[in-house]
Each structure stands twice: as C-alpha cells, then as structure tokens.
Amino acid sequence: GVFAPVVTPFVGDVPDLDALTYNLTQLRKTNLKGFFALGSNGEYKSLTDEVRGDIMMARKMYRDAIDFYKPQAAKSAILANKTGIAYHQMGDLDSAKKYYERAIKIDKTYPEAFNNLGTVLYAKKSYGSAIKNYEKALALTPKAASVWSNLGTAYFARKKYKEALEE
C-alpha cells in the first residue's frame, strides 16, 4: 500500500492543529494505507518536543505523544499535564492521575491540572475528591464553563441535586 508523508500546516510559527486534523480526516477517506508522521520533509528538526507531542495528540498517536512530553514532564507543569492527558486518552487513569498530580506539584496555580485530576477522580467514582479539585480549579479560573459543568455533574453523582442545579 501507499503511505503518504503528512505536512503539518502552520499559522506563523504555530502548528495549526485544526487544519492538521481536517487534512488527516480528508486523507483517511482515500485508499492510502497510512501516513508518515513527522517524516523527513524538513519540518521535523525545527519543531520542539512539545509541538511534536501536540501533533501526535492531534493524530491520536498517544504513546508517541508521551514519548515527546515525558522527558520534560518533571520540570514543566504544562508537559506533565499533557502527559496526563495522553495517558487519560488511552484509558490509563492511574498514570494520568500521577501526571496531573505532578503538574499540580510543579505549579499549584495551574487550573487545568486540577480540573483534569478531578475528571480522573470522577471516573474512579471518588466524587468528593473530584469536587474538591474542581473547586480548586474554579478558585483559579472562575469563568471556566467546562469546570462548572464538571462540578455540577459531580454533585449530581453524589445525589446533591440542589448543589448540582446551583453549579
């Protein structure tokens, strides 16, 4: 079969992940056997490991994304969180939890990591702990609709219907 190299579209210096996703969706409709991700078309050497990981995430190649994020995840809350997201996408909740907690340890003001940790705890039916993490995220970013939604859902799961409606 035929494998095509996939060029990553950019807007300025930033990869356009929406355009990449669109391109891959269109290519999947063809008779191609597969794709070469981050091939030798010249772009590879100019991308950071974080951007390479982001591209792998857009392509749903989560293990490859982890390989790019993980080396710097001990120092970067963002990369620890992204590593957690990749594990989460693969259904490895224990590893996802570990990396979300690592992100919070690195940066206690990172609301996305608190929210993501809450989603793992919710999936594990630890609704009270999930609620605490959603509340921490909201203290840092009070206008985040997705966190409010998660909090309301967790209250509902605990049969705290009045609180769920208020949130």
Side-chain angles (χ1 to χ4, degrees):
V2 176
F3 286 77
V6 178
V7 177
T8 305
F10 282 78
V11 175
D13 292 338
V14 179
D16 186 342
L17 299 179
D18 291 331
L20 173 62
T21 300
Y22 174 81
N23 290 347
L24 289 171
T25 300
Q26 297 306 307
L27 287 170
R28 284 189 187 115
K29 295 176 184 176
T30 69
N31 290 327
L32 290 171
K33 210 55 160 160
F35 315 109
F36 285 115
L38 299 174
S40 59
N41 58 8
E43 72 182 30
Y44 184 81
K45 65 182 180 203
S46 65
L47 301 176
T48 66
D49 282 346
E50 180 179 2
V51 170
R52 291 173 186 156
D54 292 347
I55 292 167
M56 293 297 103
M57 290 292 287
R59 294 176 178 167
K60 300 186 185 323
M61 299 170 73
Y62 305 119
R63 289 196 188 283
D64 294 322
I66 289 167
D67 289 341
F68 288 116
Y69 295 146
K70 209 171 178 180
Q72 297 301 314
K75 299 180 216 167
S76 167
I78 292 170
L79 293 178
N81 188 59
K82 287 182 176 188
T83 303
I85 292 169
Y87 277 118
H88 204 152
Q89 289 295 321
M90 294 188 314
D92 184 346
L93 298 181
D94 291 331
S95 294
K97 181 177 181 281
K98 171 184 164 185
Y99 279 92
Y100 296 147
E101 289 170 340
R102 181 176 293 173
I104 292 165
K105 185 175 181 182
I106 295 166
D107 182 356
K108 292 174 181 30
T109 64
Y110 190 37
E112 290 85 353
F114 284 108
N115 182 55
N116 291 340
L117 178 56
T119 62
V120 167
L121 294 166
Y122 180 89
K124 290 176 165 266
K125 301 188 185 323
S126 294
Y127 303 124
S129 296
I131 288 168
K132 288 176 186 169
N133 278 278
Y134 296 144
E135 288 172 342
K136 289 176 184 178
L138 286 169
L140 297 165
T141 181
K143 294 183 181 182
S146 62
V147 184
W148 282 108
S149 176
N150 289 344
L151 179 60
T153 302
Y155 275 130
F156 190 84
R158 291 197 80 188
K159 300 186 181 353
K160 293 189 173 192
Y161 304 118
K162 182 180 177 201
E163 291 90 338
L165 289 171
E166 291 172 357
E167 303 304 335

CSV table of all heavy atoms in Angstrom, one decimal, residues 93-138:
chain,number,residue,atom,x,y,z
A,93,LEU,N,-5.9,5.5,33.7
A,93,LEU,CA,-6.3,6.5,34.7
A,93,LEU,C,-5.3,6.7,35.8
A,93,LEU,O,-5.0,7.8,36.2
A,93,LEU,CB,-7.7,6.3,35.3
A,93,LEU,CG,-8.8,6.3,34.3
A,93,LEU,CD1,-10.1,6.0,35.0
A,93,LEU,CD2,-8.9,7.6,33.5
A,94,ASP,N,-4.6,5.6,36.2
A,94,ASP,CA,-3.6,5.7,37.2
A,94,ASP,C,-2.4,6.6,36.8
A,94,ASP,O,-1.9,7.4,37.5
A,94,ASP,CB,-3.2,4.3,37.7
A,94,ASP,CG,-4.3,3.6,38.4
A,94,ASP,OD1,-5.1,4.2,39.0
A,94,ASP,OD2,-4.3,2.3,38.4
A,95,SER,N,-1.9,6.3,35.6
A,95,SER,CA,-0.8,7.1,35.1
A,95,SER,C,-1.3,8.6,34.8
A,95,SER,O,-0.5,9.5,35.1
A,95,SER,CB,-0.3,6.5,33.8
A,95,SER,OG,0.3,5.3,34.0
A,96,ALA,N,-2.5,8.8,34.3
A,96,ALA,CA,-3.0,10.1,34.1
A,96,ALA,C,-3.0,10.9,35.4
A,96,ALA,O,-2.5,12.0,35.5
A,96,ALA,CB,-4.4,10.1,33.5
A,97,LYS,N,-3.5,10.2,36.5
A,97,LYS,CA,-3.6,10.8,37.8
A,97,LYS,C,-2.2,11.2,38.3
A,97,LYS,O,-2.0,12.3,38.8
A,97,LYS,CB,-4.3,9.9,38.8
A,97,LYS,CG,-4.4,10.4,40.2
A,97,LYS,CD,-5.2,9.3,41.0
A,97,LYS,CE,-5.4,9.8,42.5
A,97,LYS,NZ,-4.2,9.6,43.3
A,98,LYS,N,-1.3,10.4,38.1
A,98,LYS,CA,0.1,10.6,38.6
A,98,LYS,C,0.7,11.9,37.9
A,98,LYS,O,1.3,12.7,38.5
A,98,LYS,CB,1.0,9.4,38.2
A,98,LYS,CG,2.5,9.6,38.4
A,98,LYS,CD,3.2,8.4,37.9
A,98,LYS,CE,4.7,8.7,37.8
A,98,LYS,NZ,5.4,7.5,37.2
A,99,TYR,N,0.4,12.0,36.6
A,99,TYR,CA,1.0,13.2,35.9
A,99,TYR,C,0.2,14.5,36.2
A,99,TYR,O,0.8,15.6,36.2
A,99,TYR,CB,1.1,12.9,34.4
A,99,TYR,CG,2.4,12.1,34.1
A,99,TYR,CD1,2.4,10.7,34.1
A,99,TYR,CD2,3.6,12.8,34.0
A,99,TYR,CE1,3.5,10.0,34.0
A,99,TYR,CE2,4.8,12.1,33.8
A,99,TYR,CZ,4.7,10.7,33.8
A,99,TYR,OH,5.9,10.0,33.6
A,100,TYR,N,-1.1,14.4,36.4
A,100,TYR,CA,-1.9,15.6,36.8
A,100,TYR,C,-1.4,16.0,38.2
A,100,TYR,O,-1.2,17.2,38.4
A,100,TYR,CB,-3.4,15.3,36.8
A,100,TYR,CG,-4.0,15.0,35.5
A,100,TYR,CD1,-5.0,14.1,35.4
A,100,TYR,CD2,-3.5,15.5,34.3
A,100,TYR,CE1,-5.6,13.7,34.2
A,100,TYR,CE2,-4.1,15.2,33.1
A,100,TYR,CZ,-5.2,14.3,33.0
A,100,TYR,OH,-5.7,14.0,31.8
A,101,GLU,N,-1.2,15.1,39.1
A,101,GLU,CA,-0.7,15.4,40.4
A,101,GLU,C,0.7,16.1,40.3
A,101,GLU,O,1.1,17.0,41.0
A,101,GLU,CB,-0.6,14.2,41.3
A,101,GLU,CG,-2.0,13.8,41.7
A,101,GLU,CD,-2.1,12.4,42.4
A,101,GLU,OE1,-1.1,11.6,42.3
A,101,GLU,OE2,-3.1,12.2,43.1
A,102,ARG,N,1.5,15.5,39.4
A,102,ARG,CA,2.9,16.1,39.2
A,102,ARG,C,2.8,17.5,38.7
A,102,ARG,O,3.5,18.4,39.1
A,102,ARG,CB,3.7,15.3,38.2
A,102,ARG,CG,5.1,15.8,38.0
A,102,ARG,CD,5.9,14.9,37.1
A,102,ARG,NE,6.2,13.6,37.8
A,102,ARG,CZ,6.7,12.6,37.2
A,102,ARG,NH1,7.1,12.6,36.0
A,102,ARG,NH2,6.9,11.5,37.9
A,103,ALA,N,1.9,17.8,37.8
A,103,ALA,CA,1.7,19.2,37.2
A,103,ALA,C,1.3,20.1,38.4
A,103,ALA,O,1.8,21.2,38.5
A,103,ALA,CB,0.6,19.2,36.2
A,104,ILE,N,0.4,19.7,39.3
A,104,ILE,CA,0.0,20.5,40.4
A,104,ILE,C,1.1,20.7,41.4
A,104,ILE,O,1.3,21.8,41.9
A,104,ILE,CB,-1.2,19.8,41.1
A,104,ILE,CG1,-2.5,19.9,40.2
A,104,ILE,CG2,-1.5,20.5,42.4
A,104,ILE,CD1,-3.6,19.0,40.6
A,105,LYS,N,1.9,19.7,41.6
A,105,LYS,CA,3.1,19.9,42.5
A,105,LYS,C,4.1,20.9,41.9
A,105,LYS,O,4.6,21.7,42.7
A,105,LYS,CB,3.8,18.5,42.6
A,105,LYS,CG,4.9,18.6,43.6
A,105,LYS,CD,5.5,17.2,43.9
A,105,LYS,CE,6.6,17.3,44.9
A,105,LYS,NZ,7.3,16.0,45.1
A,106,ILE,N,4.2,20.9,40.6
A,106,ILE,CA,5.1,21.9,40.0
A,106,ILE,C,4.5,23.3,40.0
A,106,ILE,O,5.2,24.3,40.2
A,106,ILE,CB,5.4,21.5,38.5
A,106,ILE,CG1,6.2,20.2,38.5
A,106,ILE,CG2,6.2,22.6,37.8
A,106,ILE,CD1,6.3,19.5,37.1
A,107,ASP,N,3.2,23.4,39.7
A,107,ASP,CA,2.5,24.7,39.7
A,107,ASP,C,1.2,24.6,40.3
A,107,ASP,O,0.2,24.1,39.7
A,107,ASP,CB,2.4,25.2,38.2
A,107,ASP,CG,1.8,26.5,38.1
A,107,ASP,OD1,1.4,27.1,39.1
A,107,ASP,OD2,1.7,27.0,37.0
A,108,LYS,N,1.1,25.1,41.6
A,108,LYS,CA,-0.2,25.0,42.3
A,108,LYS,C,-1.2,26.0,41.8
A,108,LYS,O,-2.3,26.0,42.4
A,108,LYS,CB,0.1,25.2,43.8
A,108,LYS,CG,0.9,24.0,44.4
A,108,LYS,CD,1.3,24.3,45.8
A,108,LYS,CE,2.1,23.2,46.5
A,108,LYS,NZ,3.0,22.4,45.7
A,109,THR,N,-0.9,26.8,40.8
A,109,THR,CA,-1.9,27.7,40.3
A,109,THR,C,-2.3,27.3,38.8
A,109,THR,O,-2.7,28.2,38.1
A,109,THR,CB,-1.3,29.1,40.2
A,109,THR,OG1,-0.1,29.2,39.4
A,109,THR,CG2,-0.8,29.6,41.6
A,110,TYR,N,-2.2,26.1,38.5
A,110,TYR,CA,-2.5,25.6,37.2
A,110,TYR,C,-3.9,24.9,37.1
A,110,TYR,O,-4.0,23.8,37.5
A,110,TYR,CB,-1.4,24.6,36.7
A,110,TYR,CG,-1.4,24.2,35.3
A,110,TYR,CD1,-1.7,25.1,34.3
A,110,TYR,CD2,-1.1,22.9,34.9
A,110,TYR,CE1,-1.8,24.7,32.9
A,110,TYR,CE2,-1.1,22.5,33.6
A,110,TYR,CZ,-1.4,23.4,32.6
A,110,TYR,OH,-1.4,23.0,31.3
A,111,PRO,N,-4.9,25.7,36.8
A,111,PRO,CA,-6.3,25.2,36.9
A,111,PRO,C,-6.6,24.0,36.1
A,111,PRO,O,-7.4,23.1,36.5
A,111,PRO,CB,-7.2,26.4,36.5
A,111,PRO,CG,-6.3,27.3,35.7
A,111,PRO,CD,-4.9,27.1,36.3
A,112,GLU,N,-6.0,23.9,34.9
A,112,GLU,CA,-6.3,22.8,34.0
A,112,GLU,C,-5.9,21.4,34.7
A,112,GLU,O,-6.6,20.4,34.5
A,112,GLU,CB,-5.6,22.9,32.7
A,112,GLU,CG,-6.1,24.0,31.8
A,112,GLU,CD,-5.6,25.4,32.1
A,112,GLU,OE1,-4.8,25.5,33.1
A,112,GLU,OE2,-5.9,26.3,31.3
A,113,ALA,N,-4.8,21.4,35.4
A,113,ALA,CA,-4.4,20.2,36.0
A,113,ALA,C,-5.4,19.8,37.1
A,113,ALA,O,-5.7,18.6,37.3
A,113,ALA,CB,-3.0,20.3,36.6
A,114,PHE,N,-5.9,20.8,37.9
A,114,PHE,CA,-6.9,20.5,38.9
A,114,PHE,C,-8.1,19.9,38.3
A,114,PHE,O,-8.7,18.9,38.8
A,114,PHE,CB,-7.2,21.7,39.8
A,114,PHE,CG,-6.2,22.1,40.8
A,114,PHE,CD1,-5.4,23.2,40.6
A,114,PHE,CD2,-6.0,21.3,41.9
A,114,PHE,CE1,-4.4,23.5,41.5
A,114,PHE,CE2,-5.0,21.6,42.9
A,114,PHE,CZ,-4.2,22.7,42.7
A,115,ASN,N,-8.6,20.5,37.2
A,115,ASN,CA,-9.8,20.0,36.5
A,115,ASN,C,-9.5,18.6,36.0
A,115,ASN,O,-10.4,17.7,36.2
A,115,ASN,CB,-10.1,21.0,35.4
A,115,ASN,CG,-11.4,20.6,34.7
A,115,ASN,OD1,-12.5,20.4,35.3
A,115,ASN,ND2,-11.3,20.4,33.4
A,116,ASN,N,-8.4,18.4,35.3
A,116,ASN,CA,-8.1,17.1,34.8
A,116,ASN,C,-8.0,16.0,35.9
A,116,ASN,O,-8.5,14.9,35.7
A,116,ASN,CB,-6.9,17.1,33.9
A,116,ASN,CG,-7.1,17.9,32.7
A,116,ASN,OD1,-8.2,18.2,32.2
A,116,ASN,ND2,-6.0,18.4,32.1
A,117,LEU,N,-7.4,16.4,37.0
A,117,LEU,CA,-7.3,15.4,38.1
A,117,LEU,C,-8.7,15.1,38.6
A,117,LEU,O,-9.1,14.0,38.9
A,117,LEU,CB,-6.5,16.0,39.2
A,117,LEU,CG,-6.3,15.1,40.5
A,117,LEU,CD1,-5.8,13.7,40.2
A,117,LEU,CD2,-5.5,15.8,41.5
A,118,GLY,N,-9.6,16.1,38.6
A,118,GLY,CA,-11.0,15.9,39.0
A,118,GLY,C,-11.7,14.9,38.1
A,118,GLY,O,-12.4,14.1,38.6
A,119,THR,N,-11.4,15.0,36.8
A,119,THR,CA,-12.1,14.1,35.9
A,119,THR,C,-11.6,12.6,36.1
A,119,THR,O,-12.4,11.7,36.0
A,119,THR,CB,-11.8,14.5,34.4
A,119,THR,OG1,-10.4,14.4,34.1
A,119,THR,CG2,-12.4,15.9,34.1
A,120,VAL,N,-10.4,12.4,36.5
A,120,VAL,CA,-9.9,11.1,36.8
A,120,VAL,C,-10.6,10.6,38.0
A,120,VAL,O,-11.1,9.5,38.1
A,120,VAL,CB,-8.4,11.0,36.9
A,120,VAL,CG1,-7.9,9.7,37.5
A,120,VAL,CG2,-7.7,11.2,35.6
A,121,LEU,N,-10.6,11.4,39.1
A,121,LEU,CA,-11.2,11.0,40.3
A,121,LEU,C,-12.7,10.8,40.1
A,121,LEU,O,-13.3,9.8,40.7
A,121,LEU,CB,-11.0,12.1,41.4
A,121,LEU,CG,-9.5,12.3,41.8
A,121,LEU,CD1,-9.3,13.6,42.5
A,121,LEU,CD2,-9.0,11.1,42.5
A,122,TYR,N,-13.4,11.5,39.3
A,122,TYR,CA,-14.8,11.3,39.0
A,122,TYR,C,-14.9,9.9,38.3
A,122,TYR,O,-15.8,9.2,38.7
A,122,TYR,CB,-15.3,12.4,38.1
A,122,TYR,CG,-16.8,12.2,37.7
A,122,TYR,CD1,-17.8,12.7,38.5
A,122,TYR,CD2,-17.1,11.5,36.6
A,122,TYR,CE1,-19.1,12.5,38.2
A,122,TYR,CE2,-18.4,11.3,36.2
A,122,TYR,CZ,-19.4,11.8,37.1
A,122,TYR,OH,-20.7,11.6,36.7
A,123,ALA,N,-14.1,9.6,37.3
A,123,ALA,CA,-14.1,8.4,36.6
A,123,ALA,C,-13.9,7.2,37.6
A,123,ALA,O,-14.5,6.1,37.4
A,123,ALA,CB,-13.1,8.3,35.5
A,124,LYS,N,-13.2,7.4,38.7
A,124,LYS,CA,-12.9,6.4,39.7
A,124,LYS,C,-14.0,6.4,40.7
A,124,LYS,O,-13.8,5.7,41.8
A,124,LYS,CB,-11.5,6.6,40.3
A,124,LYS,CG,-10.4,6.3,39.3
A,124,LYS,CD,-9.0,6.6,40.0
A,124,LYS,CE,-7.9,6.0,39.2
A,124,LYS,NZ,-7.5,4.7,39.7
A,125,LYS,N,-15.0,7.2,40.6
A,125,LYS,CA,-16.1,7.3,41.5
A,125,LYS,C,-15.8,7.9,42.8
A,125,LYS,O,-16.4,7.7,43.8
A,125,LYS,CB,-16.9,6.0,41.6
A,125,LYS,CG,-17.4,5.5,40.3
A,125,LYS,CD,-18.3,4.3,40.6
A,125,LYS,CE,-18.8,3.6,39.3
A,125,LYS,NZ,-19.2,4.4,38.2
A,126,SER,N,-14.7,8.7,42.9
A,126,SER,CA,-14.3,9.5,44.1
A,126,SER,C,-14.8,10.9,43.9
A,126,SER,O,-14.1,11.8,43.7
A,126,SER,CB,-12.7,9.5,44.2
A,126,SER,OG,-12.2,8.2,44.4
A,127,TYR,N,-16.2,10.9,44.0
A,127,TYR,CA,-16.8,12.2,43.7
A,127,TYR,C,-16.5,13.3,44.6
A,127,TYR,O,-16.3,14.5,44.2
A,127,TYR,CB,-18.4,12.0,43.7
A,127,TYR,CG,-18.8,10.9,42.7
A,127,TYR,CD1,-19.6,9.8,43.2
A,127,TYR,CD2,-18.4,10.9,41.4
A,127,TYR,CE1,-20.0,8.8,42.3
A,127,TYR,CE2,-18.8,9.9,40.5
A,127,TYR,CZ,-19.6,8.9,41.0
A,127,TYR,OH,-20.0,7.9,40.1
A,128,GLY,N,-16.3,13.0,45.9
A,128,GLY,CA,-15.9,14.1,46.9
A,128,GLY,C,-14.6,14.7,46.5
A,128,GLY,O,-14.4,15.9,46.5
A,129,SER,N,-13.6,13.8,46.2
A,129,SER,CA,-12.3,14.3,45.8
A,129,SER,C,-12.3,15.1,44.5
A,129,SER,O,-11.6,16.1,44.3
A,129,SER,CB,-11.3,13.2,45.7
A,129,SER,OG,-11.1,12.6,47.0
A,130,ALA,N,-13.2,14.6,43.6
A,130,ALA,CA,-13.3,15.3,42.3
A,130,ALA,C,-13.8,16.7,42.5
A,130,ALA,O,-13.3,17.7,42.0
A,130,ALA,CB,-14.2,14.5,41.4
A,131,ILE,N,-14.9,16.8,43.4
A,131,ILE,CA,-15.5,18.1,43.7
A,131,ILE,C,-14.4,19.1,44.3
A,131,ILE,O,-14.3,20.2,43.9
A,131,ILE,CB,-16.7,17.9,44.6
A,131,ILE,CG1,-17.8,17.3,43.9
A,131,ILE,CG2,-17.1,19.3,45.3
A,131,ILE,CD1,-19.0,16.8,44.8
A,132,LYS,N,-13.6,18.6,45.2
A,132,LYS,CA,-12.5,19.4,45.8
A,132,LYS,C,-11.6,19.9,44.7
A,132,LYS,O,-11.2,21.1,44.7
A,132,LYS,CB,-11.8,18.7,46.8
A,132,LYS,CG,-12.6,18.4,48.1
A,132,LYS,CD,-11.8,17.6,49.1
A,132,LYS,CE,-12.7,17.3,50.3
A,132,LYS,NZ,-12.1,16.3,51.2
A,133,ASN,N,-11.2,19.1,43.7
A,133,ASN,CA,-10.3,19.5,42.7
A,133,ASN,C,-11.0,20.5,41.7
A,133,ASN,O,-10.4,21.5,41.3
A,133,ASN,CB,-9.7,18.3,41.9
A,133,ASN,CG,-8.6,17.8,42.7
A,133,ASN,OD1,-7.5,18.3,42.6
A,133,ASN,ND2,-8.8,16.7,43.5
A,134,TYR,N,-12.3,20.3,41.4
A,134,TYR,CA,-13.0,21.2,40.6
A,134,TYR,C,-13.1,22.6,41.3
A,134,TYR,O,-12.9,23.6,40.6
A,134,TYR,CB,-14.4,20.7,40.2
A,134,TYR,CG,-14.4,19.5,39.4
A,134,TYR,CD1,-15.4,18.5,39.6
A,134,TYR,CD2,-13.5,19.2,38.4
A,134,TYR,CE1,-15.5,17.3,38.9
A,134,TYR,CE2,-13.5,18.0,37.6
A,134,TYR,CZ,-14.5,17.1,37.9
A,134,TYR,OH,-14.6,16.0,37.1
A,135,GLU,N,-13.3,22.6,42.6
A,135,GLU,CA,-13.4,23.8,43.3
A,135,GLU,C,-12.1,24.6,43.3
A,135,GLU,O,-12.0,25.8,43.2
A,135,GLU,CB,-13.9,23.6,44.7
A,135,GLU,CG,-15.4,23.2,44.8
A,135,GLU,CD,-15.9,22.7,46.1
A,135,GLU,OE1,-15.0,22.4,47.0
A,135,GLU,OE2,-17.1,22.7,46.3
A,136,LYS,N,-11.0,23.8,43.4
A,136,LYS,CA,-9.6,24.4,43.3
A,136,LYS,C,-9.4,25.1,42.0
A,136,LYS,O,-8.9,26.2,41.9
A,136,LYS,CB,-8.6,23.4,43.7
A,136,LYS,CG,-8.5,23.0,45.1
A,136,LYS,CD,-7.5,21.9,45.4
A,136,LYS,CE,-7.5,21.5,46.8
A,136,LYS,NZ,-6.5,20.4,47.1
A,137,ALA,N,-9.8,24.4,40.9
A,137,ALA,CA,-9.7,24.9,39.6
A,137,ALA,C,-10.5,26.2,39.4
A,137,ALA,O,-10.1,27.2,38.9
A,137,ALA,CB,-10.1,23.9,38.5
A,138,LEU,N,-11.8,26.2,40.0
A,138,LEU,CA,-12.6,27.3,39.8
A,138,LEU,C,-12.1,28.5,40.6
A,138,LEU,O,-12.3,29.7,40.3
A,138,LEU,CB,-14.0,27.0,40.3
A,138,LEU,CG,-14.8,26.2,39.2
A,138,LEU,CD1,-16.1,25.6,39.8
A,138,LEU,CD2,-15.1,27.0,38.0
